[in-house]
Amino acid sequence: MIAFTVIGGYLGAGKTTLLNHFLTQSSGRRFGVLINDFGAINIDAELIASRGETTITLTNGCICCSLADGFLNAVDQLLALETPPEHIVVEASGVAEVNQLAQYGHLPGLFLDGVLVVVDVETLLEKVNDRYVGQTVRRQINSADLVILNKVDLIDPSVLKACFEWLKQAHPKVRVVSSVRCELPLPVLAGQPMHERRSEFLFPEHAHYTSWNHVLNDPVTREQLEFFAEGLDATVIRAKGTSGGPSGSGLQLQVVGRRVQITSMNNVGLGTRLVAIGLAGQIDTRSLDALAAQSFGGAR
Amino acid sequence: MITIFRARTIITMNPSNPCGTHVAVRDGMILGVGTYDEVKGWGEHVIDETFSDYVIVPGFVEGHAHVMAGGMLQRPYVGFFDRPLPDGQMARGIKSYAALITRLREIDAALTDSDEQLIAEGFDPIYFPDQPRLNRHHLDQVSTTRPIFIHHANGHLATANTAMLKLNNITKDLQIEGLARDAAGEIDGELREPPAMSLCRSAFREIQRSNMTELAIQNFAALARNAGITTCTDLGGISILAPNALERWRALTIDESFPLRVAQYNLPAMPGATADFESIAKEFVKLKKSGSERLRFLGVKFVLDGSIQGFTALLNQPGYFSGEDHGQLLAVPDQLVDWMLPFHRAGLSIHMHCNGNRTQDLAIETIEALLKIAPHPDHRHTITHAQLTTQAQLRKMAKLGLCANFFTNHLWYWGDQHYEITVGPERANALEPCASALREGVSFSFHSDAGVTPLGPLHTMWCAVNRVTPKGRVLGPLERITPAQALKAATIDAAYQLHLDHEVGSLEAGKQADFAVLHDDPLAVEPMVIRDIKVWGTVLGGRVFKAA
Ligand SMILES: [Zn+2]
């Protein structure tokens, strides 16, 4: 299964900056990035391994592919590669219906890792009321698993507060993180690959984000995982987990914002491991402990 | 060698010489129109009597069609309305599910390869409001073994039978939103929007591919010829996006037996997407220079929104009459001037797809901004569809020199739905406001948007003249125009929009000998039968092409 991420957001919000983070800080993961305009993406010449008519291959194994010939053709082109990417990231156009693009993440062979919508904090309140794009921008935000409120360094704190308040009021269920130049750690932006080993559960140290970990010796049920995921509050940006029995088969949990996916998978180690990522100072590890106890009461 | 064609009547659309009985042609060029005495003096000639019982009008100019019109008819047609086929036969409209199943059974029985998928075109659920949605169980009555895919007329929906779903491993655990389900949560076979439709990869690919084939282009040209069209746009061509399609176009149109002048307006990028428009415009200019007699590259097409009946057109207040507003702009308004400026500066004409009037406001504002940056007195940029054009917009368009290309066929094909469902009575009556455009001085033409509706200028004219709906309404009688005004829009004014009015669109000395040959005079018959006039065929650059 190949992970699939949609990056949406209106013009100038910072989508391309975000894409560059995927490409240049891929931490060894091979991202396939689908973009409309090669010209707009600013890749260091040293990073470019080769350039084809519709693709650019990077030295770190990532690949950019043009959307000029349509979305499905671009995806199929990536899937047909000798070594297809592990994770496909598509940059939606500024006025795209991101929810529709996100549906491609449910094609067989792919799984939807998340819809990230970047918002320029300086223009948000103006754009959501714009007569031409207001509806579109609202729909984009409403479809987001995670809204990235970008350029917060450029703004008066009162405006930032007003943005948060508007978002909370207009889209109460949407998870929001703020950023400067979309600088967010990869584990916030992308779920971990399926073939996860225990060591990769460790969340890198980061000034603004922190993680909560939980380990049980026994497997848990799908219902228990669902209960746990539904109980996560808005301070949790992402959560993931695996749970396996003695046979090696088990379950995987992926949570990004409101999106909860529980899938069956093989080769899961015995026991249950969970991690949640949230904003430092906001995520409440004690209530997460309590939620875990409540969810998995019987298991140890 | 001079040929003098004799006709019952020749209508020239040349105001200073409006009619005649004879037209003299040398090397594909008109020498003159008038009486025999007036044209015989050009020299030694033969008289061609083929059309002596027929009426000659200027070859029709279709300002908005797509090669898809020919592509889709490589497959069986199962739409609600009759549809002319390239071979001259008529595919009869399907008025009930029972008739649909019967038709599909016939097609199934005629297929020899038992594995071959059956893809049919043109079904539209909007005409079956009292029926449950078409689902796989209906189609399973046709076959439980042959994969069947019904591609709906709006292009956004499809219905598959159980065998087709199985073939593509489409199971109920797939989470794609567009996978319609019954009350029990089982997949019912309706696939909404491209992500879900693309699950049936075999059918979806076939449909995509079929618009790029040689047969698609030949069908397209045959349909145009059968309808009396001699110059036809392919508005939204992909010659820039898919250069291999371009080679096919060139190879076919170089042949003198190709019965059509094609005016291609290409897409510069996928709708809504940013691109390096500066360098793309340069490619357009190069392409324009490479045009030939039967293949021209005149300008660029920008698709700016969706459709009214799909509720994806962006409307001004008070919005949609009923149904949920999914209005969607396919352009970044803050960038639109930058997107279009390179084309405008290069002297290319810009055609903007606007179905909603809010979108049209944006198009008008954008052109106004372009003209302030780079004056272009004779741009003839065009708003195409322009269905909900308001009076204020017409006044502004007249000032800016913008043309309108009205989708008059909507008055017939969706007129009742617009009245009852999408925009309500007042705005349905004001759809395609031809009379107002005349009054305000906005140059306009009509279109079929084929394959959305069939190629047929006599039909688009008939709609503009009568404004009648299938349920018998007359939508906005004050917006009706006369047959002569309609013929002007379908010929010389359409040519004007394409910057081709010095070459085609009227029958004048020095212009192309492009005729539509009709069994009757559209200006003399009862207005209600204009669409029933039979087309004998066309003459293109002096060559005779009989309709199939
Ligand atoms: Zn069209």
Side-chain angles (χ1 to χ4, degrees):
Chain A
M1 294 279 264
I2 296 173
F4 183 84
T5 295
V6 177
I7 298 179
Y10 190 64
L11 166 75
K15 295 192 296 285
T16 313
T17 314
L18 183 57
L19 266 180
N20 270 320
H21 286 313
F22 275 98
L23 285 175
T24 55
Q25 296 158 31
S26 60
S27 312
R29 221 180 311 171
R30 280 177 293 109
F31 285 102
V33 169
L34 304 178
I35 49 177
N36 279 305
D37 183 7
F38 272 3
I41 186 157
N42 207 353
I43 307 167
D44 221 326
E46 286 166 23
L47 254 179
I48 296 177
S50 66
R51 203 180 259 274
E53 191 140 307
T54 54
T55 57
I56 299 176
T57 309
L58 306 190
T59 50
N60 62 10
C62 293
I63 183 163
C64 300
C65 185
S66 159
L67 281 169
D69 198 17
F71 183 81
L72 202 60
N73 286 331
V75 169
D76 282 354
Q77 197 180 350
L78 288 182
L79 296 183
L81 291 173
E82 211 169 300
T83 42
E86 296 159 278
H87 192 139
I88 293 175
V89 182
V90 59
E91 181 193 20
S93 76
V95 287
E97 295 296 321
V98 288
N99 184 51
Q100 199 191 108
L101 264 182
Q103 300 311 312
Y104 285 108
H106 297 303
L107 288 179
L110 302 180
F111 83 95
L112 183 60
D113 188 61
V115 176
L116 312 177
V117 170
V118 193
V119 164
D120 179 350
V121 72
E122 290 182 288
T123 60
L124 170 69
L125 297 178
E126 176 195 326
K127 287 301 167 204
V128 295
N129 292 311
D130 184 273
R131 66 188 291 252
Y132 292 127
V133 296
Q135 288 184 70
T136 300
V137 173
R138 284 165 191 257
R139 281 197 295 258
Q140 288 174 345
I141 292 171
N142 204 41
S143 309
D145 294 316
L146 193 62
V147 169
I148 299 171
L149 209 48
N150 196 25
K151 308 190 184 180
V152 296
D153 55 329
L154 302 174
I155 201 84
D156 189 277
S158 66
V159 177
L160 183 60
K161 192 158 164 268
C163 285
F164 267 108
E165 269 164 18
W166 182 85
L167 281 165
K168 206 169 164 187
Q169 193 249 323
H171 302 277
K173 288 183 177 159
V174 167
R175 305 285 158 99
V176 185
V177 293
S178 52
S179 80
V180 175
R181 289 179 295 280
C182 288
E183 279 163 5
L184 295 164
L186 195 56
V188 169
L189 299 174
Q192 298 294 311
M194 297 298 234
H195 50 79
E196 183 115 45
R197 293 186 312 277
R198 188 179 182 125
S199 60
E200 286 171 318
F201 266 75
L202 295 175
F203 183 71
E205 290 222 354
H206 191 279
H208 300 301
Y209 295 91
T210 187
S211 65
W212 164 89
N213 278 276
H214 197 73
V215 178
L216 297 161
N217 295 327
D218 298 325
V220 299
T221 64
R222 184 181 280 265
E223 289 68 30
Q224 287 175 311
L225 277 180
E226 267 167 24
F227 184 89
F228 171 76
E230 297 302 330
L232 295 170
D233 66 22
T235 64
V236 174
I237 295 160
R238 274 186 184 274
K240 49 191 178 281
T242 55
S243 180
S247 69
S249 67
L251 298 167
Q252 171 172 267
L253 167 72
Q254 295 262 13
V255 180
V256 50
R258 285 170 296 168
R259 182 181 305 283
V260 175
Q261 293 179 99
I262 299 171
T263 41
S264 305
M265 71 180 294
N266 295 320
N267 303 322
V268 183
L270 179 65
T272 300
R273 300 187 303 275
L274 296 157
V275 62
I277 300 167
L279 284 169
Q282 282 191 16
I283 191 166
D284 182 352
T285 53
R286 243 178 294 168
S287 75
L288 284 166
D289 286 337
L291 175 64
Q294 200 189 350
S295 310
F296 312 119
R300 284 183 48 85
Chain B
M1 183 58 178
I2 296 170
T3 306
I4 294 180
F5 293 96
R6 182 161 83 93
R8 197 169 97 203
T9 316
I10 300 174
I11 300 169
T12 66
M13 301 318 285
N14 171 12
S16 59
N17 182 38
C19 54
T21 52
H22 291 72
V23 50
V25 176
R26 185 178 67 205
D27 300 331
M29 181 183 73
I30 294 171
L31 297 172
V33 183
T35 61
Y36 178 65
D37 282 345
E38 286 170 320
V39 298
K40 70 180 181 193
W42 279 100
E44 200 180 319
H45 56 264
V46 295
I47 297 179
D48 189 326
E49 297 275 356
T50 316
F51 308 136
S52 51
D53 290 334
Y54 299 100
V55 175
I56 291 179
V57 300
F60 291 116
V61 179
E62 165 60 83
H64 183 157
H66 303 278
V67 67
M68 168 191 91
M72 64 183 274
L73 292 181
Q74 293 167 87
R75 297 177 289 278
Y77 169 82
V78 294
F80 186 79
F81 291 99
D82 294 355
R83 167 85 51 152
L85 300 176
D87 64 2
Q89 303 284 310
M90 184 69 86
R92 291 289 159 207
I94 300 273
K95 308 290 185 191
S96 69
Y97 283 7
L100 175 68
I101 291 162
T102 307
R103 170 76 60 83
L104 291 171
R105 278 183 181 150
E106 288 163 13
I107 300 163
D108 172 58
L111 291 175
T112 47
D113 180 350
S114 62
D115 293 333
E116 190 181 342
Q117 55 183 355
L118 191 172
I119 308 173
E121 288 286 347
F123 177 79
D124 193 342
I126 204 165
Y127 301 116
F128 300 94
D130 305 329
Q131 292 286 326
R133 300 286 286 194
L134 187 73
N135 61 43
R136 66 187 165 100
H137 303 295
H138 295 113
L139 301 179
D140 289 347
Q141 294 173 45
V142 178
S143 175
T144 53
T145 53
R146 181 185 304 288
I148 300 176
F149 189 85
I150 307 299
H151 191 212
H152 295 204
N154 57 34
H156 289 269
L157 301 172
T159 312
N161 72 344
T162 306
M164 177 59 88
L165 296 170
K166 259 207 193 106
L167 174 72
N168 289 284
N169 300 315
I170 301 170
T171 54
K172 68 172 180 182
D173 48 294
L174 283 175
Q175 290 174 40
I176 290 192
E177 270 176 18
L179 219 44
R181 289 164 199 274
D182 62 21
E186 297 293 331
I187 294 170
D188 85 359
E190 183 170 307
L191 308 162
R192 299 175 186 149
E193 300 299 331
M197 288 159 69
S198 66
L199 286 170
C200 292
R201 200 64 67 102
S202 56
F204 195 72
R205 281 265 181 245
E206 175 63 29
I207 288 166
Q208 281 191 328
R209 205 174 25 236
S210 64
N211 290 332
M212 321 238 294
T213 63
E214 230 177 83
L215 185 57
I217 297 172
Q218 278 159 347
N219 278 348
F220 180 60
L223 290 165
R225 174 203 62 205
N226 295 349
I229 298 166
T230 49
T231 297
C232 191
T233 47
D234 176 29
L235 200 80
I238 54 167
S239 291
I240 290 285
L241 295 172
N244 53 343
L246 175 60
E247 289 321 308
R248 208 156 297 134
W249 276 108
R250 288 201 203 277
L252 287 169
T253 53
I254 201 76
D255 192 331
E256 279 198 350
S257 66
F258 190 81
L260 189 66
R261 299 185 203 282
V262 176
Q264 206 173 58
Y265 282 70
N266 286 295
L267 295 172
M270 298 303 267
T274 48
D276 180 0
F277 291 107
E278 198 74 53
S279 47
I280 292 172
K282 287 188 186 126
E283 284 181 57
F284 268 75
V285 170
K286 249 190 257 164
L287 196 58
K288 186 176 180 179
K289 285 185 185 142
S290 76
S292 62
E293 185 89 341
R294 283 171 296 274
L295 183 62
R296 304 287 183 91
F297 307 98
L298 299 171
V300 59
K301 158 104 174 271
F302 280 92
V303 178
L304 298 185
D305 69 355
S307 73
I308 303 171
Q309 71 275 29
F311 301 92
T312 48
L314 198 65
L315 263 54
N316 275 327
Q317 290 301 331
Y320 286 94
F321 188 54
S322 65
E324 204 180 319
D325 185 346
H326 294 285
Q328 186 191 4
L329 197 68
L330 293 176
V332 176
D334 307 87
Q335 283 187 321
L336 199 53
V337 169
D338 295 336
W339 289 8
M340 290 184 179
L341 186 59
F343 301 94
H344 175 78
R345 272 198 209 282
L348 293 154
S349 105
I350 303 173
H351 283 226
M352 295 157 282
H353 159 132
C354 303
N355 268 314
N357 48 15
R358 180 163 290 181
T359 314
Q360 194 161 336
D361 277 345
L362 176 65
I364 293 169
E365 284 169 17
T366 304
I367 296 301
E368 187 172 15
L370 291 178
L371 291 170
K372 284 176 183 160
I373 300 168
H376 186 341
D378 191 24
H379 55 82
R380 309 188 200 178
H381 297 325
T382 297
I383 295 181
T384 190
H385 297 325
Q387 301 204 60
L388 290 163
T389 306
T390 62
Q391 298 294 325
Q393 287 173 335
L394 285 172
R395 288 186 284 269
K396 188 109 190 176
M397 288 168 69
K399 283 249 165 66
L400 296 173
L402 269 164
C403 302
N405 190 351
F406 294 123
F407 198 166
T408 52
N409 269 5
H410 253 258
L411 295 164
W412 170 254
Y413 287 101
W414 290 278
D416 290 315
Q417 285 73 27
H418 291 319
Y419 190 97
E420 294 164 13
I421 303 168
T422 64
V423 294
E426 179 176 325
R427 287 171 300 167
N429 283 330
L431 283 166
E432 338 295 342
C434 298
S436 292
L438 273 176
R439 195 177 55 244
E440 297 297 341
V442 173
S443 181
F444 65 92
S445 67
F446 320 128
H447 65 268
S448 64
D449 200 11
V452 177
T453 72
L455 279 172
L458 289 166
H459 195 282
T460 52
M461 280 174 59
W462 175 86
C463 287
V465 169
N466 298 290
R467 298 181 69 92
V468 168
T469 72
K471 291 191 181 172
R473 292 187 174 99
V474 177
L475 284 185
L478 295 174
E479 291 295 352
R480 286 182 299 200
I481 58 174
T482 67
Q485 290 164 339
L487 184 59
K488 185 165 176 277
T491 54
I492 188 67
D493 287 353
Y496 170 84
Q497 226 165 61
L498 306 181
H499 290 268
L500 291 176
D501 53 314
H502 57 298
E503 284 183 56
V504 301
S506 68
L507 307 180
E508 291 179 51
K511 292 181 74 167
Q512 298 281 3
D514 288 4
F515 315 149
V517 182
L518 309 177
H519 284 248
D520 246 316
D521 180 348
L523 307 188
V525 298
E526 254 306 296
M528 271 304 280
V529 304
I530 290 175
R531 67 170 175 179
D532 304 318
I533 294 173
K534 285 203 177 62
V535 176
W536 183 94
T538 61
V539 173
L540 188 81
R543 274 179 80 109
V544 175
F545 292 95
K546 193 168 188 333

